[in-house]
Amino acid sequence: MPLVDKLLILAIGAQVFLAIAILVLMGRERVPRVMSGEIPVADIAVERSGYPLKARLLSNSFDNQFQLPVLFFVGALLLLQLGFVSWVDVLLAWLFVALRIAHAAIHVTSNDVPRRFAAYSAGLAVLTLFWLWLLIRILLVPSA
């Protein structure tokens, strides 16, 4: 397997482990409070407002890992399937993942909305470039 493929797979793995890390942190915030009775199950059965702020921030950040990253996963898997992975793809993939980590870090700490929006927008821009680069190459490859 070429090095660029391995590096792209590592970027995919890093994004997956970001989601898992947020999920674990969210569980550490939620489960003990529910188990101790501090938060009645009825208060959180339908919505999250019964949880403290930190748990809600983690929950929102976790939900966000199933928005833009899904488009990243589809593109990355398509690249691997087609055998089109290049160093540009790897660079854009890792930049996207780094921006997702920054976005999540802001989301679950200060939750500074302008900074969080900047990280999100930068990630969206990188993801857009990732897809444009992929589509250009697919459309320019002569068909057999």
Side-chain angles (χ1 to χ4, degrees):
M1 177 180 293
L3 179 59
V4 289
D5 288 9
K6 290 179 181 181
L7 292 172
L8 183 60
I9 292 168
L10 283 173
I12 293 169
Q15 181 59 50
V16 167
F17 280 104
L18 171 61
I20 291 170
I22 295 168
L23 179 63
V24 168
L25 292 172
M26 182 174 64
R28 289 177 59 191
E29 285 292 319
R30 286 177 162 189
V31 173
R33 287 177 169 80
V34 173
M35 296 300 287
S36 72
E38 176 186 336
I39 299 173
V41 173
D43 290 356
I44 48 96
V46 176
E47 62 179 7
R48 301 172 225 189
S49 61
Y51 286 115
L53 178 62
K54 176 89 174 180
R56 290 193 318 266
L57 290 173
L58 286 159
S59 180
N60 290 344
S61 185
F62 181 71
D63 289 350
N64 200 261
Q65 301 312 312
F66 298 93
Q67 295 169 7
L68 290 183
V70 171
L71 301 175
F72 165 67
F73 293 139
V74 170
L77 292 173
L78 185 57
L79 280 168
L80 289 163
Q81 177 64 34
L82 295 173
F84 279 9
V85 183
S86 72
W87 285 104
V88 173
D89 299 308
V90 170
L91 175 68
L92 290 171
W94 278 102
L95 185 56
F96 175 75
V97 171
L99 288 164
R100 295 303 304 159
I101 292 168
H103 177 266
I106 295 164
H107 208 164
V108 302
T109 57
S110 69
N111 197 32
D112 181 320
V113 174
R115 283 181 53 227
R116 193 179 88 207
F117 179 72
Y120 183 91
S121 297
L124 175 58
V126 169
L127 183 62
T128 301
L129 291 172
F130 181 84
W131 266 97
L132 284 172
W133 178 240
L134 168 61
L135 290 173
I136 287 168
R137 286 178 299 141
I138 288 173
L139 295 173
L140 292 179
V141 169
S143 33

